[in-house]
Each structure stands twice: as structure tokens, then as C-alpha cells.
Amino acid sequence: MSKISNAEAIAAWSTMPADVVSAYDDQGDYPKRHLMNANLLRMLGALDGRRVLDAGSGEGYFSRLLADRGADVVAVEPADALRARAREIERDRGQGITFVQADLAELPDLGRPFDAVVCSMVLLAVPDWKAAMAACVAALKPGGRFVFSLTHPAFEDLFGIWSKYGHYRLDRYLDDYEMPGDYAPDFHRPLSAYLNQIISLGCRITEVCEPGLDPQVAADSGVEGTESYVALPNFVIISAETDG
Ligand SMILES: C[S@@+](CC[C@H](N)C(=O)[O-])C[C@H]1O[C@@H](n2cnc3c(N)ncnc32)[C@H](O)[C@@H]1O
């Protein structure tokens, strides 16, 4: 386990300035728009009328995409800065999203079990990620679906490294380590750690998705380095189901 605590990591997320938090658009950001969101939605399956937990919802763009599709959404987010922005947008839009401020590793009772839990780009931010993952699985009804995404542990800082060298370089993969971020750290663990943990929780992995960017979309961006998303997967998205 990491040397920093969950509370310290959450406090770091709370230092995100308001202008950075509000820079997210309705699809999050460029990589999420083009690589992540459609895959998450597809892997979650039917949403209309389903009770869905957005675990570590950030400023809530994905909760809003879920609510747009008819889901009854509970969004758990512990960091003040992100949660405040999500609530502000909910006050404007009134989509009926329920917000809960909590650490996933100490999840309060959220009521009825969920049809699906999505945990997008969160476990890599949580020091005690095994407790967080266990809580997500425990929140599901039998046969419920758990979909989580990560920066692909084999291709972290893909855009930055590719932009510098014209290809990807990696010299450390198998151990666990902390990676400093602009506001809060991420934590590297090999992909097998996540996959084996979800299996040990009694889930059946139903899909592992390593999305690549459409070459034409990359060309249209006009931004050098975007071709890295065509060649290599920036994200990995995993779906799993509990016993039915
Ligand atoms: C990279 S952001 C992703 C947010 C959102 N899911 C998205 O895709 O935009 C990571 C999020 O994890 C949250 N987080 C960090 N530690 C957490 C914990 N122990 N429990 C729940 N969320 C946590 C942070 O506050 C932050 O909102």
C-alpha cells in the first residue's frame, strides 16, 4: 500500500482550482470524448430506469451522461472542489442526481443495491484501492455490472512521452509506485493487480477494452502527439459481473 493515506489523497484533489474544475466540458475532455465515454456506456449496458453508482464522480460529467440516458444516479465524490462543481451544475439542470460525499473505502449505506457501478479513472487515484474496489462490488445486486477504467498502466503519460521522443518509452512496470500529478498523485500498479483483485472478489470479467483513436479523428485534431492515441491505448476499461 502507498505511504500516503486516502484522506491525504482526497485533500490533494480538493486543491484543484475552480477554473481547472470548470474547464471540463460535457464529455469530460478530448481523450474521454473520443476514447472513453462511448465504451463505458456500451459496457454498462441498459441504463434507462437502472440504479447506477458513479463511484468517484469528480465534477460529474459522466453522472450527467448517465442521467441523460434515464439512469437513477448516485454520485459519490469526496473532494470538496469537485463535488461543489457537480452540485452547482445539478442545481442548474435538475437531473435528479443524488450526491454523497464519501471515501469509497468507507462507503456509507447508499440504500438499495445498484444495477451497475462505474468507477472511471478513480482506483488509480486511491491509495487503499482494494478496499475501494471491494466497496464498489459490494454495492451491486447479484448479477450487477462493475465497469472501471484506468490510465493504461503500460502506457502512462502516453501523450507527454510520445510528444518528447516520437515513440513510447517505459522502464518500470512491475512494482507499485506513486506518480506525482498537477494536484494529486496517481498510483501505478501493474494491470494484473487490478484484474486479479476483481477476480478474487468473485466477479467474472466480461470485457477488457483497450480503445484506440480513429486515425481520421487524430488527423483532424491538428495536434502533434495525438497519433499516439491511434498507435497505443491510453486507457484500459474493464467490465465484470457479480454472480447472478
Ligand atoms: C481522475 S478523477 C476522475 C473523476 C471522474 N470519475 C471522471 O472520470 O472525470 C479521480 C477522482 O477520484 C476521486 N477520489 C480520490 N480518492 C478517492 C476515494 N478514496 N474515494 C472516492 N473518490 C476518490 C478524486 O476526488 C477525483 O474526483
Side-chain angles (χ1 to χ4, degrees), residues 49-63:
R50 302 292 168 100
R51 184 165 150 83
V52 181
L53 173 62
D54 187 1
S57 58
E59 59 72 62
Y61 89 91
F62 199 73
S63 299

Side-chain angles (χ1 to χ4, degrees), residues 84-106:
R85 175 68 178 156
R87 289 183 60 126
E88 179 188 331
I89 299 173
E90 171 63 19
R91 272 195 294 275
D92 283 352
R93 298 196 188 174
Q95 290 181 291
I97 299 167
T98 300
F99 293 95
V100 176
Q101 186 166 25
D103 176 345
L104 287 175
E106 296 171 18

Side-chain angles (χ1 to χ4, degrees), residues 3 6 21 24-25 33 40 43 71-72 78 110 135 140 142 160 173 196 205 212-213 232 237:
K3 287 193 179 72
N6 278 16
V21 176
Y24 277 82
D25 63 28
R33 174 181 293 273
L40 284 177
M43 291 163 82
D72 173 12
L110 298 175
L140 284 166
Y173 177 78
N196 288 328
I205 292 173
L213 188 61
L232 297 170
I237 311 170

Side-chain angles (χ1 to χ4, degrees), residues 10-237:
I10 291 164
W13 280 100
S14 293
T15 66
M16 276 183 90
D19 62 322
V20 176
V21 176
S22 57
Y24 277 82
D25 63 28
D26 63 345
Q27 293 277 328
D29 57 19
Y30 182 90
K32 286 178 179 167
R33 174 181 293 273
H34 293 291
L35 293 166
M36 177 80 79
N37 298 337
N39 286 305
L40 284 177
L41 291 167
R42 175 181 58 74
M43 291 163 82
L44 282 164
L47 290 167
D48 194 14
R50 302 292 168 100
R51 184 165 150 83
V52 181
L53 173 62
D54 187 1
S57 58
E59 59 72 62
Y61 89 91
F62 199 73
S63 299
R64 294 187 287 278
L65 293 182
L66 293 169
D68 283 345
R69 287 158 179 77
D72 173 12
V73 182
V74 176
V76 168
E77 170 55 46
D80 292 330
L82 292 143
R83 180 172 163 272
R85 175 68 178 156
R87 289 183 60 126
E88 179 188 331
I89 299 173
E90 171 63 19
R91 272 195 294 275
D92 283 352
R93 298 196 188 174
Q95 290 181 291
I97 299 167
T98 300
F99 293 95
V100 176
Q101 186 166 25
D103 176 345
L104 287 175
E106 296 171 18
L107 206 54
D109 182 3
L110 298 175
R112 289 184 292 123
F114 291 88
D115 296 293
V117 175
V118 60
C119 188
S120 184
M121 303 297 285
V122 174
L123 295 172
L124 76 175
V126 181
D128 189 3
W129 66 276
K130 290 183 181 176
M133 182 188 268
C136 289
V137 171
L140 284 166
K141 69 179 193 187
R145 195 168 291 187
F146 180 45
V147 179
F148 66 101
S149 71
L150 307 163
T151 304
H152 198 307
F155 304 108
E156 282 149 352
D157 193 18
L158 172 59
F159 184 88
I161 293 173
W162 185 286
S163 298
K164 191 167 172 188
Y165 300 110
H167 60 270
Y168 189 71
R169 293 181 178 191
L170 175 69
D171 60 4
R172 197 176 174 201
Y173 177 78
L174 286 172
D175 53 349
D176 291 10
Y177 49 91
E178 185 174 323
M179 300 180 295
D182 288 337
Y183 307 101
D186 283 344
F187 300 92
H188 170 91
R189 297 122 192 166
L191 184 57
S192 55
Y194 292 100
L195 299 180
N196 288 328
Q197 189 63 19
I198 197 73
I199 292 166
S200 79
L201 290 168
C203 294
R204 185 173 62 88
I205 292 173
T206 51
E207 184 176 346
V208 177
C209 173
E210 295 176 305
L213 188 61
D214 182 319
Q216 190 57 54
V217 174
D220 291 346
S221 79
V223 177
E224 211 172 314
T226 307
E227 69 279 8
S228 62
Y229 298 140
V230 178
L232 297 170
N234 191 41
F235 301 117
V236 58
I237 311 170

